[in-house]
Amino acid sequence: MTKDDFKIPVHLTQLISSEQAYQYGIIPIEGNAEGYTFKSNDTSEKLRQELEIILGKSIVLQRESEDNIKQYLASNFRKREQSHSEAFQYSSDFLEKLLATAKHIGSSDIHFEIYEERCRVRLRLDGKLKEYFIIEQDQYPVIINKLKIKAGLDISEKRLPQDGRISIKTELEEFDIRVSSLPTLHGEKMVLRILSKDADHIELSDLGFTNEELKSYLETIKKPNGIVLISGPTGSGKTTTLYATLKLLNDEKTNILTIEDPIEYTLEGINQVQLKENIGLNFSSTLRTFLRQDPDVIMVGEIRDAKTANMAIRAALTGHLVLSTIHTNSAWATVSRLIDMDIPAFLIASTLNVSVAQRLVRKLCSDCKKEKPNIKSDFPEQFEIPNTLKTQFIPVGCPTCYFTGYQGRKAIYEIIPITKALVECIKNNHLEIDDYLRVEGIATLKTNAIELIRNGVTSVDEVYSLLIE
């Protein structure tokens, strides 16, 4: 049997909780109003009667091998850090249990979605969405309204998108949830982003920098003024890198101001401002005010337009260190992006300290990854396989990684410090620097991706798009 043969539909997995599945070694294969049918290695009358008492349904048990039961459990039920004894069917506290579970299993986003005939909940784990629950259509509006009330949104407004925030406080931790609603064809889609309030655990040395890259990056952020730009797509870890940088720069001698949308972490000793476009509190206007607040370091959540870019340049020119993010495909493409925003090349050359590009890639599970020889068809057509890359590791799947083949993620970086040679390139609009990068030994996203494949950290499929560049 392949790992797909062990997958069971979501509407069956939510008949029981993960704790019940593991405790009794049962796999639901059929369920209706009259009763449930389970696969189990134990088909005794005692187990059947106990399940009937707990679940309040008539129970049928079908024998299955112990090895297969283990694989069914690992493929369909994720163990949680805390025990929840009730099944995840809709109840008055369904929402609270769902939020707690998503946080405990390490989910970054929760998607509530409604279609013509069904409603579902998907969780994003290690960057990939997975369907976890099916919701009855008549209960979906109830859940959405509860979320809106918690997030301070208008429950009567169903035609326009809305944004809000929920603060969750438990005995163990505090965290915030950013809420976004979107009107769709059949109703409102709601996405919840789980934000950690505590940035104490974030360290630059743990993010994925090589020793050379970390040394190069630290040298640029120690400069008293200039701009540090980090680029990458949404969800590539740019903000986490910025917070780790701010944590390093944060001391009693330094005045640090940030303007963010949203504030994802809170840092003691740093003055953080939440963006509010509806009242005119945007990046560019707040930056103008920041310059009258005697700052040493300014962090701008994102450079989205020419106004913000110009204000960031002005702040750097007047003796401040400015950190920000920008959406480009590579570190050097940041220069072209700023030129496209009509920022004069000589200003970019005189203020940009370093340009960083980053991506997040899933790491192969160390318990089950398998080595295989490289063949040309595994790689992009135009990619030349280096002689030193004879083999690669591929995902297999085991109980440790819940049969995904991957466990955890790490960032890979492309760091280009702006040297005197590059200052001249920018001023003269010479934007082809491949030879320079090769001579200087600067690792690109592509070369770092190849290194991860060589070391068996990730798979070719996971970094395929980086090999094309």
Side-chain angles (χ1 to χ4, degrees), residues 11-12 15 28-38 57:
H11 74 273
L12 291 176
L15 293 177
I29 58 171
E30 193 177 331
N32 52 44
E34 285 70 43
Y36 301 155
T37 302
F38 295 106
K57 302 279 186 180

PDB file of all heavy atoms in Angstrom, residues 11-12 15 28-38 57:
ATOM      1  N   HIS A  11     -14.183  14.241   6.718  1.00  0.00           N
ATOM      2  CA  HIS A  11     -15.436  14.112   7.475  1.00  0.00           C
ATOM      3  C   HIS A  11     -15.430  12.883   8.377  1.00  0.00           C
ATOM      4  O   HIS A  11     -16.197  12.801   9.345  1.00  0.00           O
ATOM      5  CB  HIS A  11     -16.643  14.085   6.528  1.00  0.00           C
ATOM      6  CG  HIS A  11     -16.812  12.803   5.758  1.00  0.00           C
ATOM      7  ND1 HIS A  11     -16.171  12.587   4.554  1.00  0.00           N
ATOM      8  CD2 HIS A  11     -17.530  11.679   6.018  1.00  0.00           C
ATOM      9  CE1 HIS A  11     -16.508  11.385   4.095  1.00  0.00           C
ATOM     10  NE2 HIS A  11     -17.314  10.817   4.963  1.00  0.00           N
ATOM     11  N   LEU A  12     -14.530  11.924   8.104  1.00  0.00           N
ATOM     12  CA  LEU A  12     -14.401  10.767   8.987  1.00  0.00           C
ATOM     13  C   LEU A  12     -13.413  11.041  10.122  1.00  0.00           C
ATOM     14  O   LEU A  12     -13.648  10.647  11.269  1.00  0.00           O
ATOM     15  CB  LEU A  12     -13.950   9.536   8.196  1.00  0.00           C
ATOM     16  CG  LEU A  12     -14.971   8.954   7.198  1.00  0.00           C
ATOM     17  CD1 LEU A  12     -14.367   7.807   6.409  1.00  0.00           C
ATOM     18  CD2 LEU A  12     -16.230   8.482   7.936  1.00  0.00           C
ATOM     19  N   LEU A  15     -14.802  12.616  13.272  1.00  0.00           N
ATOM     20  CA  LEU A  15     -15.766  11.899  14.105  1.00  0.00           C
ATOM     21  C   LEU A  15     -15.214  11.661  15.506  1.00  0.00           C
ATOM     22  O   LEU A  15     -15.970  11.555  16.471  1.00  0.00           O
ATOM     23  CB  LEU A  15     -16.125  10.546  13.466  1.00  0.00           C
ATOM     24  CG  LEU A  15     -16.894  10.593  12.137  1.00  0.00           C
ATOM     25  CD1 LEU A  15     -17.115   9.191  11.599  1.00  0.00           C
ATOM     26  CD2 LEU A  15     -18.229  11.326  12.303  1.00  0.00           C
ATOM     27  N   PRO A  28     -11.647   5.520  11.892  1.00  0.00           N
ATOM     28  CA  PRO A  28     -13.030   5.566  11.375  1.00  0.00           C
ATOM     29  C   PRO A  28     -13.064   5.332   9.863  1.00  0.00           C
ATOM     30  O   PRO A  28     -12.322   5.974   9.118  1.00  0.00           O
ATOM     31  CB  PRO A  28     -13.495   6.976  11.730  1.00  0.00           C
ATOM     32  CG  PRO A  28     -12.242   7.781  11.855  1.00  0.00           C
ATOM     33  CD  PRO A  28     -11.171   6.850  12.316  1.00  0.00           C
ATOM     34  N   ILE A  29     -13.891   4.438   9.416  1.00  0.00           N
ATOM     35  CA  ILE A  29     -14.022   4.185   7.972  1.00  0.00           C
ATOM     36  C   ILE A  29     -15.450   4.398   7.482  1.00  0.00           C
ATOM     37  O   ILE A  29     -15.717   4.435   6.281  1.00  0.00           O
ATOM     38  CB  ILE A  29     -13.549   2.762   7.597  1.00  0.00           C
ATOM     39  CG1 ILE A  29     -14.334   1.696   8.370  1.00  0.00           C
ATOM     40  CG2 ILE A  29     -12.060   2.615   7.810  1.00  0.00           C
ATOM     41  CD1 ILE A  29     -14.073   0.293   7.886  1.00  0.00           C
ATOM     42  N   GLU A  30     -16.376   4.562   8.428  1.00  0.00           N
ATOM     43  CA  GLU A  30     -17.766   4.830   8.043  1.00  0.00           C
ATOM     44  C   GLU A  30     -18.474   5.451   9.229  1.00  0.00           C
ATOM     45  O   GLU A  30     -18.199   5.112  10.389  1.00  0.00           O
ATOM     46  CB  GLU A  30     -18.474   3.525   7.638  1.00  0.00           C
ATOM     47  CG  GLU A  30     -19.806   3.755   6.943  1.00  0.00           C
ATOM     48  CD  GLU A  30     -20.450   2.437   6.478  1.00  0.00           C
ATOM     49  OE1 GLU A  30     -19.701   1.484   6.180  1.00  0.00           O
ATOM     50  OE2 GLU A  30     -21.681   2.399   6.425  1.00  0.00           O
ATOM     51  N   GLY A  31     -19.380   6.399   8.970  1.00  0.00           N
ATOM     52  CA  GLY A  31     -20.106   7.033  10.058  1.00  0.00           C
ATOM     53  C   GLY A  31     -21.396   7.658   9.591  1.00  0.00           C
ATOM     54  O   GLY A  31     -21.437   8.290   8.542  1.00  0.00           O
ATOM     55  N   ASN A  32     -22.454   7.452  10.349  1.00  0.00           N
ATOM     56  CA  ASN A  32     -23.734   8.087  10.065  1.00  0.00           C
ATOM     57  C   ASN A  32     -24.482   8.275  11.382  1.00  0.00           C
ATOM     58  O   ASN A  32     -23.915   8.054  12.465  1.00  0.00           O
ATOM     59  CB  ASN A  32     -24.558   7.255   9.066  1.00  0.00           C
ATOM     60  CG  ASN A  32     -24.686   5.800   9.491  1.00  0.00           C
ATOM     61  OD1 ASN A  32     -24.947   5.509  10.658  1.00  0.00           O
ATOM     62  ND2 ASN A  32     -24.476   4.881   8.545  1.00  0.00           N
ATOM     63  N   ALA A  33     -25.754   8.674  11.298  1.00  0.00           N
ATOM     64  CA  ALA A  33     -26.521   8.962  12.508  1.00  0.00           C
ATOM     65  C   ALA A  33     -26.700   7.723  13.384  1.00  0.00           C
ATOM     66  O   ALA A  33     -26.833   7.821  14.603  1.00  0.00           O
ATOM     67  CB  ALA A  33     -27.888   9.540  12.125  1.00  0.00           C
ATOM     68  N   GLU A  34     -26.706   6.529  12.762  1.00  0.00           N
ATOM     69  CA  GLU A  34     -26.949   5.301  13.518  1.00  0.00           C
ATOM     70  C   GLU A  34     -25.701   4.809  14.250  1.00  0.00           C
ATOM     71  O   GLU A  34     -25.765   4.313  15.362  1.00  0.00           O
ATOM     72  CB  GLU A  34     -27.442   4.177  12.589  1.00  0.00           C
ATOM     73  CG  GLU A  34     -28.893   4.316  12.144  1.00  0.00           C
ATOM     74  CD  GLU A  34     -29.097   5.468  11.172  1.00  0.00           C
ATOM     75  OE1 GLU A  34     -28.263   5.625  10.251  1.00  0.00           O
ATOM     76  OE2 GLU A  34     -30.058   6.229  11.356  1.00  0.00           O
ATOM     77  N   GLY A  35     -24.540   4.926  13.598  1.00  0.00           N
ATOM     78  CA  GLY A  35     -23.349   4.408  14.258  1.00  0.00           C
ATOM     79  C   GLY A  35     -22.085   4.592  13.430  1.00  0.00           C
ATOM     80  O   GLY A  35     -22.118   5.128  12.315  1.00  0.00           O
ATOM     81  N   TYR A  36     -20.944   4.150  14.011  1.00  0.00           N
ATOM     82  CA  TYR A  36     -19.632   4.283  13.378  1.00  0.00           C
ATOM     83  C   TYR A  36     -19.003   2.910  13.170  1.00  0.00           C
ATOM     84  O   TYR A  36     -19.227   1.983  13.961  1.00  0.00           O
ATOM     85  CB  TYR A  36     -18.668   5.113  14.251  1.00  0.00           C
ATOM     86  CG  TYR A  36     -19.124   6.518  14.554  1.00  0.00           C
ATOM     87  CD1 TYR A  36     -18.660   7.174  15.696  1.00  0.00           C
ATOM     88  CD2 TYR A  36     -19.997   7.209  13.714  1.00  0.00           C
ATOM     89  CE1 TYR A  36     -19.050   8.471  15.997  1.00  0.00           C
ATOM     90  CE2 TYR A  36     -20.395   8.501  14.000  1.00  0.00           C
ATOM     91  CZ  TYR A  36     -19.927   9.129  15.146  1.00  0.00           C
ATOM     92  OH  TYR A  36     -20.319  10.404  15.428  1.00  0.00           O
ATOM     93  N   THR A  37     -18.219   2.813  12.090  1.00  0.00           N
ATOM     94  CA  THR A  37     -17.417   1.614  11.860  1.00  0.00           C
ATOM     95  C   THR A  37     -15.945   1.987  11.921  1.00  0.00           C
ATOM     96  O   THR A  37     -15.521   2.965  11.297  1.00  0.00           O
ATOM     97  CB  THR A  37     -17.733   0.992  10.482  1.00  0.00           C
ATOM     98  OG1 THR A  37     -19.140   0.674  10.426  1.00  0.00           O
ATOM     99  CG2 THR A  37     -16.913  -0.278  10.252  1.00  0.00           C
ATOM    100  N   PHE A  38     -15.175   1.214  12.720  1.00  0.00           N
ATOM    101  CA  PHE A  38     -13.747   1.495  12.896  1.00  0.00           C
ATOM    102  C   PHE A  38     -12.907   0.294  12.490  1.00  0.00           C
ATOM    103  O   PHE A  38     -13.322  -0.853  12.654  1.00  0.00           O
ATOM    104  CB  PHE A  38     -13.421   1.808  14.367  1.00  0.00           C
ATOM    105  CG  PHE A  38     -14.058   3.052  14.890  1.00  0.00           C
ATOM    106  CD1 PHE A  38     -15.138   2.981  15.763  1.00  0.00           C
ATOM    107  CD2 PHE A  38     -13.584   4.301  14.533  1.00  0.00           C
ATOM    108  CE1 PHE A  38     -15.726   4.128  16.265  1.00  0.00           C
ATOM    109  CE2 PHE A  38     -14.160   5.460  15.024  1.00  0.00           C
ATOM    110  CZ  PHE A  38     -15.238   5.372  15.901  1.00  0.00           C
ATOM    111  N   LYS A  57     -22.822   6.015  20.242  1.00  0.00           N
ATOM    112  CA  LYS A  57     -23.248   5.456  18.954  1.00  0.00           C
ATOM    113  C   LYS A  57     -23.055   3.948  18.975  1.00  0.00           C
ATOM    114  O   LYS A  57     -22.249   3.410  19.745  1.00  0.00           O
ATOM    115  CB  LYS A  57     -22.405   6.041  17.805  1.00  0.00           C
ATOM    116  CG  LYS A  57     -22.456   7.556  17.673  1.00  0.00           C
ATOM    117  CD  LYS A  57     -23.692   8.004  16.936  1.00  0.00           C
ATOM    118  CE  LYS A  57     -23.664   9.506  16.683  1.00  0.00           C
ATOM    119  NZ  LYS A  57     -24.871   9.968  15.966  1.00  0.00           N
TER     120      LYS A  57
END
